[in-house]
Amino acid sequence: MNFQQLRAVRETVRQGFNLTLVAEALHTSQPGVSRQLKELEDELGVQLFRRAGRRLLGLTPPGEALLPVVERLLQDAENLKSAGADFAASDHGLLKVAATHSQARYALPGAVRDFRASHPGVTLHLQQGSPRQVAEAVLSGAADLGVATEALADFPGLLALPCYRWTHAVVVPRGHALADEAAAGRTLTLARLAQCPLVTYEAGYTGRRQIDEAFAREGLVADVVLQAMDADVIKTYVELGIGVGVIAAMAFDEARDAGLVALDARHLFPMQTTRVAVRRDAFLRGYVFDFIETFAPTLTRALLQRALAAPEGDATDFDI
């Protein structure tokens, strides 16, 4: 038994049992992957995969039972390498951060700048995706940490701690009726907003679920005419007159968005909490703790270590 065989098993599951993709991911040949899987099955004395000819269809019951062991062995090996690297070169290495677009564009730049200044020997790899993709990247080891508002707290294998709170804003072109009403002292209501075509986030992004729920609680249906993952895209179409935008307030910059007016919407939609997540069983190099504290000063190394040591389910109660 060797780690290459274990990696072949893990990657086969990750790639949906497509051996061509497995071979590409492991930089080897398809026959080589097949051989590694068969040799491991022969050594274990059980069949791990269901087959139809040469095609793999899925895991057998023994395969499903042994997959967590395979994952744990590979994670322990990664932890061992990380621990050795941390002692050998504590301030050199690669930091992989996964984040949604909103976090990467608006929340992380200051932390990245400050971290680079204090850790010049660490290379940063920033990858963007949906909240679920961010969570899966951390779980798979493709990222050391993830930053998102949705999804992270839903994965038991992750420690997801709150790092800051934010609210939504309604954005309209200058001269729009809603801007004039706000200037006249009229309070924006959901009923008034429901009369307008809306441009906002896709489902699963940046508090969209809470936006929909707010309208539903009032017995209203939002007229969403355009959805996007990116606040900059939303603002572009608002400027074109497509509709009224609902975005994260942090995505509005008065100087940069001079053609728009932002209206406070904190009384319309609930406050949102962004979380930073790490894999519970991963060894975190010192600079991972440093980056998290740079981004969210309340999340000190001591607090994170205490949260990681807490029973699963308790650590999510740490407040900000």
Side-chain angles (χ1 to χ4, degrees), residues 9-34:
V9 172
R10 180 178 66 182
E11 201 61 40
T12 297
V13 176
R14 288 181 179 177
Q15 298 297 338
F17 307 97
N18 185 321
L19 293 185
T20 300
L21 297 179
V22 176
E24 291 175 359
L26 295 178
H27 307 291
T28 185
S29 65
Q30 185 174 332
V33 172
S34 298

Side-chain angles (χ1 to χ4, degrees), residues 261-282:
V261 176
L263 308 177
D264 189 358
R266 71 185 69 191
H267 62 294
L268 301 179
F269 308 112
M271 187 170 288
Q272 303 295 299
T273 300
T274 290
R275 290 177 168 82
V276 62
V278 294
R279 183 165 165 161
R280 288 183 174 276
D281 59 357

